[in-house]
Each structure stands twice: as structure tokens, then as C-alpha cells.
Amino acid sequence: MSRIELDRVGVRAATPGGPVPEVTVLRETTLDLTEQRIALIGPNGSGKSTLARLVNGLVEPTSGRVLVDGLDVAKKGREVRRRVGFVFTDPSAQLVMPTVVEDVALSLRHQVRAREARTAAARAVLASYGLDELADRSVHTLSGGQRQLLALAGVLATDPAVLVADEPTTLLDLRNARMIGDLLFGLPQQLVLATHDLDLALRCDRALLIDDGAVVADGAPAEVVARYRATVG
Ligand SMILES: Nc1ncnc2c1ncn2[C@@H]1O[C@H](COP(=O)(O)OP(=O)(O)O)[C@@H](O)[C@H]1O
Ligand SMILES: [Mg+2]
């Protein structure tokens, strides 16, 4: 497994024109994450996405450092992003090419330089996820479940050591949420999973409860989930 370290990381954001010039998005946080599957749970606006995004540099710390296998995300962003794949809640955020096969080929641009070989590799990836029949379709014609599966296939095609997934099942119906959840939990990769699906959180090795920009509970998922449920009443 990789080692994800937050060393006294704080995140503040400017609020131009707001009543206060800066808001604290994440209070000073120190973490050492080495477990295979780590859940981030907590209410809307608590800071889950911020924490998830710090791991691959989509959000930069205002103070402190984030390290992935000793690499400082702020200094070695490109190297870190080759190790850390990121899946968004809304797959449309990362599906940018006109067709399904072109989208996977785009993910493979660093791995396979020659164009024809890249298209062939992309088709093989699609086949391994049962998406080969959709290869030449526009991504806009896919269902939500197919789109999230495609987004995941594109990220996994680059064989990242760590997968960060920010509420990857929130927009999906029950069947598709289960399909994506089972896929995530069948992966050999390290997984950092922000989720409101507490059943998925319970399947992780460690859970962090985030509230108001701070980690307020950290440990065995059964205990952390119970803590979260107790705060809601
Ligand atoms: N760039 C930003 N500017 C201002 N506020 C932000 C910014 N990023 C996040 N926030 C605020 O910080 C809080 C935490 O956001 P987020 O990490 O997206 O929470 P979550 O994913 O748990 O819903 C929210 O109140 C959000 O509005
Ligand atoms: Mg979020």
C-alpha cells in the first residue's frame, strides 16, 4: 500500500466580498493513512471533498504538507497524479472526448504513445469492463451507471496505486451504486472513498468522520459510523 501523510495541513479559502476575508475549510490536520481502504464520512460541507482533493493536488494546502509515498504533492504534483487516480461524483466532469473509446484512449496517452496501439489498448480496457459495445457511442448517450463505470475504467486503465473516489455512487440508482461499490471493493488498489453510503464505509479498514472542517473521529468503521449516526440522532 501507499502511504498518504498529512502533516499539519490547513486549508483556508478566500471569500472575495464576503463578510470575512477567509474561511477555514480544513482545520490543522495530521494523518498517516496506510490502510488499504479508508472512508471519509460526514455531513455535506464538512470538508470530505477538500480532504480527498488534497491527496492528488486538486486542492493545495494553505499550510502544512501532503505527502504520497514521501512525495510532496505541492512539489511533485505530476508524479503524484500518476500514482493517484481521482474519480468525481459526476462522471461528466472527467469524460471530455466525443466518444467512449477516445475517452479511454486519452487516459492512456502517457502509457501508449502510438495512436493505433492506444486505440486498441482502449478497446481492450472497455472490453474488460463489459463496455466494448459502447466504444463508438457519444458519452452523452450513456446512462449514469455506464458513465460512472467508464470514468472509473479510464482512471484504472492508468494503473494508479491509489484511487481517490469522491462520492462515486451518490448520483446512481441502487443497482448501479452496488455495481460501482462492488467494483471499488474488488480492486487491489488503495482506496480513499468519500461517501454518504455508510454500508460502503463499513466495508473499509478505517474511517474518518469529518465535521466542520476537522477530523472528529478516526478508527474502526463500525465505531466511527456509530458516532456519526449518534450525532444525527
Ligand atoms: N474554494 C472555496 N472557497 C470557499 N469555500 C469553500 C471552498 N472550498 C470549499 N469551501 C467550503 O468548505 C466547506 C467544505 O467543503 P467540501 O470539502 O466540499 O465539503 P464536503 O465534500 O464534505 O461536502 C464547505 O462549506 C464549502 O462551501
Ligand atoms: Mg463533497
Short mmCIF file of all heavy atoms in Angstrom, two decimals, residues 13-15 23-25 42-51 166-167 196 210, ligand 1:
data_model
loop_
_atom_site.label_atom_id
_atom_site.label_comp_id
_atom_site.label_asym_id
_atom_site.label_seq_id
_atom_site.Cartn_x
_atom_site.Cartn_y
_atom_site.Cartn_z
N ALA A 13 -9.82 29.40 2.46
CA ALA A 13 -10.21 29.88 1.14
C ALA A 13 -10.61 31.33 1.25
O ALA A 13 -11.22 31.75 2.24
CB ALA A 13 -11.37 29.05 0.59
N ALA A 14 -10.24 32.09 0.22
CA ALA A 14 -10.62 33.50 0.18
C ALA A 14 -12.10 33.60 -0.14
O ALA A 14 -12.64 32.81 -0.90
CB ALA A 14 -9.80 34.21 -0.89
N THR A 15 -12.76 34.57 0.45
CA THR A 15 -14.17 34.81 0.12
C THR A 15 -14.30 36.28 -0.30
O THR A 15 -14.65 37.13 0.51
CB THR A 15 -15.09 34.52 1.33
OG1 THR A 15 -14.59 35.25 2.46
CG2 THR A 15 -15.12 33.06 1.68
N VAL A 23 -12.25 31.88 4.85
CA VAL A 23 -12.93 30.86 5.65
C VAL A 23 -11.99 29.67 5.83
O VAL A 23 -11.18 29.37 4.95
CB VAL A 23 -14.24 30.35 5.01
CG1 VAL A 23 -15.31 31.41 5.05
CG2 VAL A 23 -14.00 29.87 3.58
N THR A 24 -12.11 29.02 6.98
CA THR A 24 -11.33 27.81 7.22
C THR A 24 -12.12 26.64 6.65
O THR A 24 -13.24 26.37 7.06
CB THR A 24 -11.09 27.61 8.72
OG1 THR A 24 -10.35 28.74 9.19
CG2 THR A 24 -10.30 26.35 8.99
N VAL A 25 -11.52 25.98 5.66
CA VAL A 25 -12.18 24.83 5.03
C VAL A 25 -11.74 23.54 5.73
O VAL A 25 -12.54 22.64 5.96
CB VAL A 25 -11.85 24.79 3.52
CG1 VAL A 25 -12.49 23.59 2.86
CG2 VAL A 25 -12.30 26.08 2.84
N GLY A 42 -19.27 12.07 6.75
CA GLY A 42 -19.62 13.30 7.46
C GLY A 42 -20.63 14.09 6.65
O GLY A 42 -20.86 13.81 5.48
N PRO A 43 -21.22 15.10 7.29
CA PRO A 43 -22.29 15.86 6.64
C PRO A 43 -21.82 16.64 5.41
O PRO A 43 -20.63 16.84 5.21
CB PRO A 43 -22.77 16.83 7.73
CG PRO A 43 -21.82 16.73 8.86
CD PRO A 43 -20.97 15.53 8.67
N ASN A 44 -22.78 17.09 4.62
CA ASN A 44 -22.49 17.96 3.47
C ASN A 44 -21.74 19.19 3.98
O ASN A 44 -22.09 19.76 5.01
CB ASN A 44 -23.79 18.45 2.81
CG ASN A 44 -24.54 17.33 2.13
OD1 ASN A 44 -23.94 16.39 1.62
ND2 ASN A 44 -25.86 17.43 2.14
N GLY A 45 -20.72 19.59 3.25
CA GLY A 45 -19.99 20.81 3.60
C GLY A 45 -19.00 20.64 4.74
O GLY A 45 -18.43 21.61 5.22
N SER A 46 -18.77 19.39 5.18
CA SER A 46 -17.87 19.18 6.32
C SER A 46 -16.40 19.26 5.94
O SER A 46 -15.55 19.54 6.78
CB SER A 46 -18.18 17.84 6.98
OG SER A 46 -18.08 16.79 6.05
N GLY A 47 -16.09 18.96 4.67
CA GLY A 47 -14.68 19.02 4.24
C GLY A 47 -14.18 17.73 3.61
O GLY A 47 -12.98 17.59 3.36
N LYS A 48 -15.08 16.78 3.32
CA LYS A 48 -14.67 15.49 2.73
C LYS A 48 -13.98 15.67 1.38
O LYS A 48 -12.91 15.11 1.13
CB LYS A 48 -15.88 14.56 2.55
CG LYS A 48 -16.62 14.22 3.82
CD LYS A 48 -17.81 13.32 3.56
CE LYS A 48 -18.87 13.93 2.65
NZ LYS A 48 -19.50 15.16 3.19
N SER A 49 -14.60 16.46 0.50
CA SER A 49 -14.02 16.65 -0.83
C SER A 49 -12.68 17.36 -0.73
O SER A 49 -11.74 17.04 -1.47
CB SER A 49 -14.96 17.47 -1.73
OG SER A 49 -16.13 16.74 -1.98
N THR A 50 -12.59 18.31 0.17
CA THR A 50 -11.33 19.04 0.34
C THR A 50 -10.23 18.07 0.73
O THR A 50 -9.14 18.08 0.15
CB THR A 50 -11.50 20.13 1.42
OG1 THR A 50 -12.56 21.01 1.01
CG2 THR A 50 -10.22 20.91 1.63
N LEU A 51 -10.51 17.21 1.68
CA LEU A 51 -9.52 16.23 2.13
C LEU A 51 -9.17 15.28 0.98
O LEU A 51 -7.99 15.00 0.72
CB LEU A 51 -10.10 15.47 3.33
CG LEU A 51 -9.19 14.56 4.13
CD1 LEU A 51 -7.90 15.27 4.51
CD2 LEU A 51 -9.91 14.12 5.41
N ASP A 166 -14.58 10.44 -4.88
CA ASP A 166 -15.37 11.41 -4.12
C ASP A 166 -16.86 11.18 -4.39
O ASP A 166 -17.38 11.60 -5.42
CB ASP A 166 -14.96 12.83 -4.52
CG ASP A 166 -15.60 13.88 -3.62
OD1 ASP A 166 -16.35 13.51 -2.69
OD2 ASP A 166 -15.35 15.08 -3.86
N GLU A 167 -17.52 10.52 -3.47
CA GLU A 167 -18.95 10.18 -3.60
C GLU A 167 -19.27 9.58 -4.97
O GLU A 167 -20.13 10.10 -5.69
CB GLU A 167 -19.82 11.42 -3.35
CG GLU A 167 -19.70 11.96 -1.93
CD GLU A 167 -20.80 12.96 -1.61
OE1 GLU A 167 -21.93 12.76 -2.09
OE2 GLU A 167 -20.51 13.93 -0.91
N HIS A 196 -21.51 8.96 1.36
CA HIS A 196 -22.65 9.00 2.28
C HIS A 196 -23.25 7.61 2.44
O HIS A 196 -24.22 7.44 3.19
CB HIS A 196 -23.72 9.97 1.76
CG HIS A 196 -23.30 11.40 1.82
ND1 HIS A 196 -23.04 12.04 3.01
CD2 HIS A 196 -23.05 12.29 0.85
CE1 HIS A 196 -22.66 13.29 2.76
NE2 HIS A 196 -22.65 13.45 1.45
N ILE A 210 -15.60 13.48 9.37
CA ILE A 210 -15.23 14.88 9.22
C ILE A 210 -16.44 15.71 9.63
O ILE A 210 -17.57 15.40 9.23
CB ILE A 210 -14.89 15.22 7.74
CG1 ILE A 210 -14.16 14.08 7.02
CG2 ILE A 210 -14.12 16.54 7.63
CD1 ILE A 210 -12.79 13.81 7.44
N1 LIG B 1 -12.63 27.30 -2.62
C1 LIG B 1 -13.52 27.50 -1.65
N2 LIG B 1 -13.95 28.73 -1.32
C2 LIG B 1 -14.83 28.93 -0.33
N3 LIG B 1 -15.37 27.94 0.38
C3 LIG B 1 -15.01 26.70 0.11
C4 LIG B 1 -14.07 26.39 -0.91
N4 LIG B 1 -13.90 25.05 -0.95
C5 LIG B 1 -14.70 24.55 -0.01
N5 LIG B 1 -15.36 25.52 0.64
C6 LIG B 1 -16.31 25.34 1.73
O1 LIG B 1 -15.71 24.46 2.67
C7 LIG B 1 -16.65 23.56 3.17
C8 LIG B 1 -16.21 22.14 2.91
O2 LIG B 1 -16.39 21.83 1.55
P1 LIG B 1 -16.23 20.37 0.95
O3 LIG B 1 -14.85 19.88 1.19
O4 LIG B 1 -16.67 20.42 -0.47
O5 LIG B 1 -17.24 19.52 1.84
P2 LIG B 1 -17.99 18.14 1.57
O6 LIG B 1 -17.30 17.44 0.45
O7 LIG B 1 -17.88 17.40 2.88
O8 LIG B 1 -19.42 18.45 1.25
C9 LIG B 1 -17.97 23.91 2.57
O9 LIG B 1 -18.66 24.76 3.44
C10 LIG B 1 -17.58 24.64 1.30
O10 LIG B 1 -18.57 25.56 0.92
#
